[in-house]
Amino acid sequence: MAGDARLQTVDRDALEARLASVRASVADAARSAGRSADDLTLVVVTKYHPASLVRELAALGVTDVGENRHQEAQAKAAELADLDLTWHFVGQLQSKKARQVRRYADVVQSLDRDSVVDAFAPTETEPEPRVVDGFVQVNLTDDPDRGGVQPDAVEAMVERVLRTGTIRLRGVMAVAPLDEEPRRAFARLRDVSDRVAAIAPDATDISAGMSGDHAEAIAEGATHLRIGTAITGNRPAAP
């Protein structure tokens, strides 16, 4: 398989070293923020990397894996069904794919449109669907074409999620804008999180922070970090 061929070019010792380096960086940032690294969930994003690389990460103690593309995620989850992994879908989700995604994903971090949320609701053919954890994605930019709900529409989206009965709302997710200092953006996300918690007291999680800005996210209360290349190395070409 092409995926296995790609894996042969990966230095396994280097993979372990990168993972250890990120874990140490996360621990340092947590300590600086007066927090415990044990309270943070590290989601390793493995877009375009083969399932065999995910298996290696699991052997190194990784328990949470993030994927951006449905077909790739579906195939990896099936191939690695013997592992005790928590699968996070972190990419933009099409409503027509939502029911397929919930068959393997434990967490959907990109709830950003009414049609996507509604697709998780029970139907006549699936009256008791699998319940998934969910995050409302927040758009921290002024660009309406970017993924995520505008901050002033978050409460309405939260109410919609809660009405489905098939999504366990965990909190909010966002990506820091490229043209803004990350910590300032994450501070705004934290304010949105406080508003969400006023409606759904259990939905206090914040998914924020990637390879280049996880320290800033931790300083502003992130509970979930989505880190890819700093751990996996450069992504292979798209299959």
Side-chain angles (χ1 to χ4, degrees):
M1 291 176 57
D4 292 332
R6 288 198 299 269
L7 182 60
Q8 292 174 2
T9 68
V10 175
D11 184 328
R12 298 184 181 191
D13 290 338
L15 177 66
E16 184 172 8
R18 287 193 298 268
L19 177 61
S21 177
V22 168
R23 284 173 167 163
S25 178
V26 167
D28 286 345
R31 193 177 306 111
S32 295
R35 304 177 61 194
S36 170
D38 293 338
D39 296 331
L40 303 174
T41 298
L42 176 61
V43 181
V44 182
V45 180
T46 56
K47 180 180 180 180
Y48 297 157
H49 288 282
S52 46
L53 179 63
V54 180
R55 189 174 291 277
E56 287 192 37
L57 288 167
L60 294 171
V62 169
T63 58
D64 291 74
V65 178
E67 287 290 334
N68 297 68
R69 300 165 72 246
H70 163 58
Q71 288 185 319
E72 182 181 353
Q74 185 179 50
K76 286 181 186 176
E79 185 172 342
L80 301 171
D82 60 303
L83 299 179
D84 186 17
L85 293 172
T86 298
W87 291 92
H88 297 248
F89 191 85
V90 299
Q92 189 167 30
L93 180 60
Q94 298 177 343
S95 56
K96 63 183 179 181
K97 300 291 186 183
R99 292 188 180 92
Q100 297 177 50
V101 167
R102 76 169 164 214
R103 290 173 187 154
Y104 62 82
D106 304 288
V107 187
V108 176
Q109 294 206 18
S110 48
L111 301 173
D112 67 348
R113 281 164 292 142
D114 291 351
S115 60
V116 169
V117 172
D118 293 348
F120 284 92
T123 63
E124 288 186 6
T125 57
E126 201 172 3
E128 296 183 2
R130 180 172 179 252
V131 175
V132 299
D133 286 352
F135 287 74
V136 170
Q137 183 175 354
V138 182
N139 185 352
L140 296 177
T141 76
D142 294 326
D143 182 357
D145 293 328
R146 288 286 298 270
V149 180
Q150 289 296 324
D152 61 0
V154 166
E155 282 90 348
M157 182 61 69
V158 166
E159 296 284 5
R160 199 176 194 98
V161 171
L162 295 175
R163 285 197 299 269
T164 67
T166 58
I167 301 173
R168 184 184 302 108
L169 184 62
R170 295 286 300 275
V172 294
M173 181 272 261
V175 177
L178 295 176
D179 58 352
E180 183 178 0
E181 196 280 317
R183 184 161 182 182
R184 183 184 304 168
F186 294 142
R188 291 192 287 115
L189 181 63
R190 189 172 194 168
D191 289 341
V192 174
S193 174
D194 290 342
R195 286 162 39 204
V196 170
I199 302 171
D202 293 333
T204 57
D205 287 341
I206 300 174
S207 176
M210 299 189 291
S211 293
D213 57 18
H214 60 271
E216 292 89 341
I218 291 169
E220 290 300 332
T223 60
H224 291 65
L225 311 170
R226 309 179 309 278
I227 299 181
T229 55
I231 294 173
T232 63
N234 292 331
R235 289 175 182 150

